[in-house]
């Protein structure tokens, strides 16, 4: 079981690396390759802040995962916390982790869409935020009732 | 200490003796949780009847106490209405 967990941990590290890479690429593109019009677009500052936030968060989680990997005891504690059957049931009822992955994907799509259409980017942004909010509220509700 | 269900007009109750068995053996929730690889909150939820343990977890808990599942988890089926059953 721990071997499977280590595999999922490795996958998580890859996802975090890709997210930080995505944020870095968008930031570099914005600074050096984007048209002046795109740089001054309404959502340019949102795009920049979101990419910085995404990169920092992904790097932070990556660093935590790498640190945890060196400590087998803490890794087992984390494994038990993540694989607690009640927590799994709560997460499943709240639509996680699919909702979370989908929200991050929509957020990334909003970032890319902000180069061309403010309306599309804003719609995607609101959708993503609404999804995350509903997921969090459901999780809190089920934590209280289960 | 019990969970209640109504299925097709029938009323089911699932009680458990975990708090009683813990007290007898002087085991804390934390110790039991560690022994069966779940969180303390899960044990609390099972004890108060908010959460129904899965079959593998029920088996682990029963084995920890050295008893059969049916000695720890008591499942009763009653055809009465929910209102008539004591909480």
């Amino acid at each position: 079981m721990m071997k499977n967990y280590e595999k999922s941990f490795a996958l998580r590290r890859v996802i975090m690396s890709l997210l930080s890479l995505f944020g870095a690429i968008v930031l570099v593109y914005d600074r050096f390759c984007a048209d002046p019009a795109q740089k001054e677009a309404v959502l340019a500052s949102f795009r920049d802040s979101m990419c910085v936030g995404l990169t920092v968060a992904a790097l932070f989680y990556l660093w935590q995962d790498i640190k945890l990997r060196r400590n087998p005891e803490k890794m087992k504690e984390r494994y038990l916390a993540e694989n607690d059957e009640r927590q799994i049931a709560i997460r499943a009822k709240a639509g996680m982790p699919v909702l979370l992955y989908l929200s991050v994907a929509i957020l990334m799509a909003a970032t890319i869409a902000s180069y061309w259409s403010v309306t599309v980017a804003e719609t995607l942004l609101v959708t993503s935020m609404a999804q995350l909010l509903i997921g969090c509220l459901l999780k809190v509700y089920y934590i209280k009732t289960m | 200490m019990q969970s209640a269900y109504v299925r097709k007009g029938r009323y089911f109750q699932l009680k458990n003796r975990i708090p009683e068995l813990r007290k007898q053996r002087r085991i804390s929730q934390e110790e039991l949780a560690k022994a069966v690889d779940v969180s303390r909150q899960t044990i609390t939820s099972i004890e108060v009847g908010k959460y129904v343990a899965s079959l593998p977890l029920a088996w682990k808990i029963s084995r920890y106490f050295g008893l059969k599942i049916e000695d720890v988890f008591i499942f009763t089926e009653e055809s009465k209405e929910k209102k008539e059953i004591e909480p």
Side-chain angles (χ1 to χ4, degrees), chain B residues 35-71:
Chain B
V36 296
D37 290 344
V38 291
S39 66
R40 189 189 53 78
Q41 288 86 348
T42 302
I43 298 294
T44 310
S45 289
I46 293 169
E47 283 188 2
V48 298
K50 275 185 175 180
Y51 177 69
V52 179
S54 68
L55 186 57
L57 180 58
W59 185 81
K60 274 186 190 176
I61 292 171
S62 310
R63 210 172 78 146
Y64 179 77
F65 288 120
L67 297 168
K68 290 177 184 173
I69 289 182
E70 58 265 38
D71 294 334

Side-chain angles (χ1 to χ4, degrees), chain B:
Chain B
M1 295 185 200
Q2 61 183 36
S3 302
Y5 311 90
V6 181
R7 294 273 186 281
K8 293 180 182 175
R10 283 184 170 178
Y11 187 64
F12 299 93
Q13 276 185 319
L14 182 65
K15 297 176 190 172
N16 69 72
R17 293 176 54 219
I18 299 175
E20 181 194 326
L21 292 167
R22 269 198 317 104
K23 272 180 195 166
Q24 275 177 10
R25 288 164 171 76
R26 292 184 183 178
I27 299 162
S28 67
Q29 286 185 335
E30 190 76 50
E31 284 169 323
L32 176 60
K34 271 193 178 176
V36 296
D37 290 344
V38 291
S39 66
R40 189 189 53 78
Q41 288 86 348
T42 302
I43 298 294
T44 310
S45 289
I46 293 169
E47 283 188 2
V48 298
K50 275 185 175 180
Y51 177 69
V52 179
S54 68
L55 186 57
L57 180 58
W59 185 81
K60 274 186 190 176
I61 292 171
S62 310
R63 210 172 78 146
Y64 179 77
F65 288 120
L67 297 168
K68 290 177 184 173
I69 289 182
E70 58 265 38
D71 294 334
V72 181
F73 297 91
I74 302 136
F75 188 73
T76 50
E77 183 188 340
E78 301 183 31
S79 54
K80 291 177 190 172
E81 285 298 312
K82 192 178 178 181
K83 289 178 248 174
E84 296 168 22
I85 308 285
E86 283 180 24

Side-chain angles (χ1 to χ4, degrees), chain A residues 13-78:
Chain A
R13 281 198 296 277
V14 171
I15 292 172
M16 289 303 159
S17 308
L18 288 176
L19 275 180
S20 54
L21 196 68
F22 171 80
I25 286 171
V26 173
L27 276 174
V28 168
Y29 177 81
D30 254 7
R31 284 281 166 268
F32 304 108
C33 312
D35 293 336
Q38 282 179 334
K39 281 182 187 175
E40 288 159 18
V42 183
L43 288 175
S45 52
F46 149 75
R47 195 168 53 223
D48 284 356
S49 346
M50 215 218 63
C51 286
V52 170
L54 195 71
T55 310
V56 169
L59 287 175
F60 175 74
Y61 283 115
L62 193 65
W63 172 67
Q64 271 204 332
D65 282 3
I66 290 168
K67 212 172 74 174
L68 205 68
R69 203 183 164 206
R70 291 179 193 149
N71 191 339
E73 266 185 34
K74 283 203 169 179
M75 183 111 164
K76 194 168 183 216
E77 270 177 31
R78 175 90 166 257

